[in-house]
Amino acid sequence: DRGGFDLVLGNPPWEQLQYDPREVFAQTHPEIAAAPNMAARNRMVAKLEVADPTSYARHLVALRGMDGMRLFMHASGRYPLASVGRLNTAPLFLEASRSGTKQGGRVGVIVPSGIATDAFTQELFRELVESRELASLLDFENRRLLFQGAHSSQRFSLLTLVRAGNPSGSASFAFFAQTVDDLHDTDRRFTLSSEDLLLLNPYTGTAPVFRTRRDAEITAAVYRGFPVLGAADGDQPWEFRVRLMFMLNESSDLFHMQQNLDEVGGVMEGNVWESPSGSYLPLYEAKMATIDDHRAADVVISPTAVQRQGQPSPVTDAEHRDPGRVAVPRYWIRADDVERQSAEPSASWFLAYRDVTASTNERSVLVTIVPGGAVAATLRVVHTDVQTAAFLQGCLGSFAFDYIARQKIGGTHLTLTYFEQLPVPTEDDLAALCSGSEFIRDRVVELAYTAWDLESFAIDLGVRCPPFEWRPSRRELLRAELDAAFFHLYRIDRDDVDYIMDTFPIVRRQDEEAHGEYRTKRLILERYDALAEASASGTEYETVLDPPPADPRVAHPESTRPNWAPAPS
């Protein structure tokens, strides 16, 4: 009768409200849990209605119980902000705690850190930001096992609200703390205003993930100078749209494995199966691609795995040197099914980036050009014109862009919400860099076009020659020139470039193990200085590459063209 509690404290459960038959049948029917995909699993469960009615009835009870709970959360009106998308109990408890606290009261809860960064909780967190209720968000990694029962990589936050609103509009933040003492580190803990948060994530109001005060300052400066990819009101710097093609679960009834293809008859040409009944196109998955490389790995089936049957098998440098070597998938899809699914049926290549990622990975944004056809939803397809694709390939693959993205990715997915709120240079910025688009195009096409299955991408860019040779040391220099150029485009000064490169510890460690030095950083700083010197003197930048980027002299001979890649007219 006084309007709610003075204080609500809690450590609510963190449970996905999602039915998973693998959990129900793991003990009684392990073959169902081990099914290769959802379509196969559903067929096996359906057979239980006759073969094992007791187990089937238990399945229906579990399914109805979960559906009933989700229906209540969505329809009760009690959780208007937290009952969005894939439900989790933590944000539901947070909203209940907030609504049960009186004006002037406080809320303190321990919740997964995704509460501030994930797409499904963005409406709830934005409300906390715009209402100025957020007092602090203190993020921890569980590496010291503060919670013994949780995985060491689990991240959680101490979230504090002031229900009357925070008069200053500023909140205290810390990220990746491991002990309570880390919260007293003045470089690690900082404040951001509501206006800062809305500048950095204009469409969602979610929180960026800054490890230090310097990260916050560099990132804010970039956002003040450049529009975001998904800018509205005609300010979008580049025209594009992102879409998902084939969900690995929902579309699994369209997938064909090698044994299925053997049954229909035919022959493999490259990685396309040609049969009497039509063509079957390879399904490109995220694990097959990495930065500037659409054939980083084959996908092999593990006969012993239950939930991770398809594992990447890296393509070696020796194999990369063969321009006819293509990536081998685990699934193929009939060409007419791909045609029905694709919004761009004539596309012979796509720009695509990996959906699954993390800010703690070696690199967070993995982008490449892939052959047109079937692409799994683990790769987000970016539809755009070829010049924009070449620019975005160079930009999104740069350390500058990756660094900014790492401040924003709070979970394990580079969602469209994150992607559209990342800043990029414009065509006007590009015109001021050396030879502008040609500088980027020549380096991107040589890095991307190393096999015959991307000939159409090169032709669309105006490059007509066989694929470029795979030379690792040359590729390092090509990428270093692009990275240095994008640091300049983002107007990041040299001291900050030096600092940013040190925020990629896995890259550094691998370089030092392989070369005895952090070679990637050295090459980028050398090219950064050379570009700065050319700009200061008003002269054209001279590449260190001989022959220069995209020169036909570093292309394979025409005689390497395989039968499955006919010469274009």
Side-chain angles (χ1 to χ4, degrees):
D1 58 353
R2 287 189 291 131
F5 291 101
D6 299 294
L7 174 67
V8 175
L9 292 174
N11 176 18
W14 312 341
E15 298 291 341
Q16 292 282 356
L17 298 182
Q18 186 172 357
Y19 176 70
D20 188 346
R22 289 175 294 188
E23 297 177 359
V24 175
F25 295 110
Q27 298 300 321
T28 61
H29 295 79
E31 70 280 3
I32 294 178
N37 52 55
M38 182 181 288
R41 189 174 301 116
N42 289 342
R43 288 193 295 269
M44 295 167 75
V45 170
K47 292 179 181 178
L48 293 180
E49 185 173 8
V50 174
D52 187 350
T54 301
S55 294
Y56 188 73
R58 187 169 63 249
H59 151 73
L60 292 181
V61 169
L63 178 61
R64 188 203 180 283
M66 185 60 70
D67 285 347
M69 186 183 297
R70 291 166 59 190
L71 177 62
F72 173 79
M73 300 303 176
H74 285 299
S76 66
R78 183 170 169 80
Y79 309 96
L81 300 173
S83 61
V84 176
R86 189 180 301 117
L87 297 183
N88 187 291
T89 53
L92 295 168
F93 270 88
L94 172 59
E95 185 165 11
S97 300
R98 175 177 180 259
S99 63
T101 304
K102 73 176 186 180
Q103 293 298 302
R106 292 207 173 223
V107 175
V109 292
I110 304 176
V111 290
S113 296
I115 200 83
T117 58
D118 291 351
F120 290 140
T121 54
Q122 68 185 44
E123 293 185 27
L124 173 60
F125 193 78
R126 187 183 186 96
E127 171 63 21
L128 302 180
V129 171
E130 292 185 337
S131 65
R132 297 176 176 247
E133 294 181 27
L134 183 64
S136 63
L137 179 79
L138 308 176
D139 163 70
F140 285 80
E141 288 184 293
N142 197 40
R143 294 189 184 278
R144 303 291 183 90
L145 297 180
L146 296 172
F147 284 99
Q148 293 289 330
H151 193 276
S152 62
S153 64
Q154 174 70 54
R155 288 175 55 199
F156 60 90
S157 288
L158 312 183
L159 179 69
T160 307
L161 307 179
V162 181
R163 273 299 273 133
N166 183 358
S168 70
S170 295
S172 177
F173 291 86
F175 291 97
F176 297 100
Q178 295 185 17
T179 69
V180 174
D181 288 342
D182 290 339
L183 301 182
H184 304 298
D185 184 336
T186 56
D187 188 46
R188 184 187 289 261
R189 188 164 177 173
F190 51 87
T191 60
L192 292 173
S193 68
S194 299
E195 291 73 20
D196 291 332
L197 290 170
L198 294 173
L199 168 70
L200 295 165
N201 280 328
Y203 305 133
T204 62
T206 51
V209 185
F210 298 128
R211 290 178 179 268
T212 68
R213 187 184 306 275
R214 187 172 186 178
D215 291 330
E217 292 170 351
I218 294 171
T219 306
V222 169
Y223 269 87
R224 293 187 189 104
F226 300 93
V228 296
L229 274 164
D233 302 324
D235 294 328
Q236 190 175 17
W238 303 92
E239 289 293 327
F240 71 94
R241 59 189 178 85
V242 178
R243 65 186 292 261
L244 306 180
M245 290 188 67
F246 291 96
M247 302 294 288
L248 288 177
N249 282 336
E250 296 175 8
S251 303
S252 58
D253 58 324
L254 301 177
F255 299 170
H256 301 269
M257 301 177 76
Q258 181 67 58
Q259 58 265 37
N260 306 132
L261 301 181
D262 292 337
E263 292 171 3
V264 301
V267 64
M268 192 75 73
E269 296 188 1
N271 55 11
V272 177
W273 185 264
E274 298 292 353
S275 78
S277 60
S279 300
Y280 291 76
L281 304 182
L283 179 68
Y284 275 85
E285 297 182 55
K287 60 194 72 176
M288 299 168 68
T290 189
I291 299 174
D292 301 321
D293 185 10
H294 68 289
R295 50 188 187 135
D298 301 328
V299 183
V300 297
I301 304 298
S302 171
T304 59
V306 174
Q307 295 189 30
R308 296 175 62 86
Q309 297 98 333
Q311 295 297 307
S313 175
V315 175
T316 66
D317 279 343
E319 291 172 317
H320 271 101
R321 285 193 283 271
D322 176 3
R325 173 64 158 90
V326 290
V328 180
R330 60 170 162 167
Y331 298 126
W332 285 260
I333 301 179
R334 284 182 60 92
D336 52 0
D337 288 328
V338 175
E339 187 79 9
R340 282 191 289 271
Q341 178 74 10
S342 177
E344 306 285 343
S346 61
S348 55
W349 53 265
F350 295 124
L351 176 68
Y353 67 87
R354 283 198 193 190
D355 168 59
V356 177
T357 187
S359 61
T360 53
N361 286 358
E362 176 185 351
R363 295 292 298 271
S364 297
V365 182
L366 301 177
V367 59
T368 193
I369 305 294
V370 299
V375 181
T378 52
L379 280 172
R380 304 265 175 146
V381 173
V382 182
H383 290 292
T384 188
D385 65 86
V386 69
Q387 298 298 334
T388 299
F391 170 81
L392 291 178
Q393 172 66 48
C395 180
L396 273 58
S398 71
F399 277 99
F401 185 90
D402 204 317
Y403 169 75
I404 300 299
R406 289 161 91 90
Q407 317 305 318
K408 313 295 287 299
I409 299 171
T412 57
H413 295 272
L414 179 53
T415 64
L416 180 59
T417 301
Y418 288 135
F419 185 79
E420 290 190 329
Q421 295 182 106
L422 291 169
V424 290
T426 66
E427 289 191 88
D428 291 340
D429 299 309
L430 188 60
L433 170 71
C434 305
S435 54
S437 60
E438 291 183 7
F439 180 97
I440 294 172
R441 180 203 65 186
D442 290 348
R443 287 154 181 81
V444 165
V445 73
E446 183 175 335
L447 286 166
Y449 177 39
T450 60
W452 286 101
D453 55 353
L454 281 183
E455 183 178 21
S456 61
F457 173 68
I459 291 174
D460 288 350
L461 277 175
V463 176
R464 285 183 171 269
C465 66
F468 294 101
E469 295 177 356
W470 183 273
R471 301 183 184 180
S473 59
R474 181 178 170 89
R475 291 175 66 83
E476 284 182 328
L477 289 171
L478 288 164
R479 192 67 250 183
E481 289 189 329
L482 280 172
D483 282 312
F486 278 100
F487 276 124
H488 276 287
L489 279 173
Y490 277 108
R491 304 169 202 155
I492 297 174
D493 65 39
R494 193 186 193 281
D495 286 345
D496 286 336
V497 175
D498 192 309
Y499 165 78
I500 287 170
M501 291 306 301
D502 285 338
T503 67
F504 291 86
I506 300 176
V507 178
R508 178 175 196 147
R509 185 181 71 246
Q510 291 178 345
D511 268 14
E512 290 175 344
E513 291 174 354
H515 310 296
E517 62 161 337
Y518 192 0
R519 188 162 76 177
T520 300
K521 175 180 173 179
R522 175 177 63 80
L523 292 175
I524 291 173
L525 287 174
E526 288 174 355
R527 295 304 91 217
Y528 182 95
D529 292 341
L531 281 164
E533 184 178 343
S535 177
S537 63
T539 59
E540 186 74 14
Y541 169 78
E542 292 187 10
T543 182
V544 292
L545 289 150
D546 183 23
D551 191 295
R553 285 175 291 176
V554 290
H556 288 277
E558 177 66 25
S559 60
T560 62
R561 181 185 294 276
N563 293 333
W564 51 262
S569 57

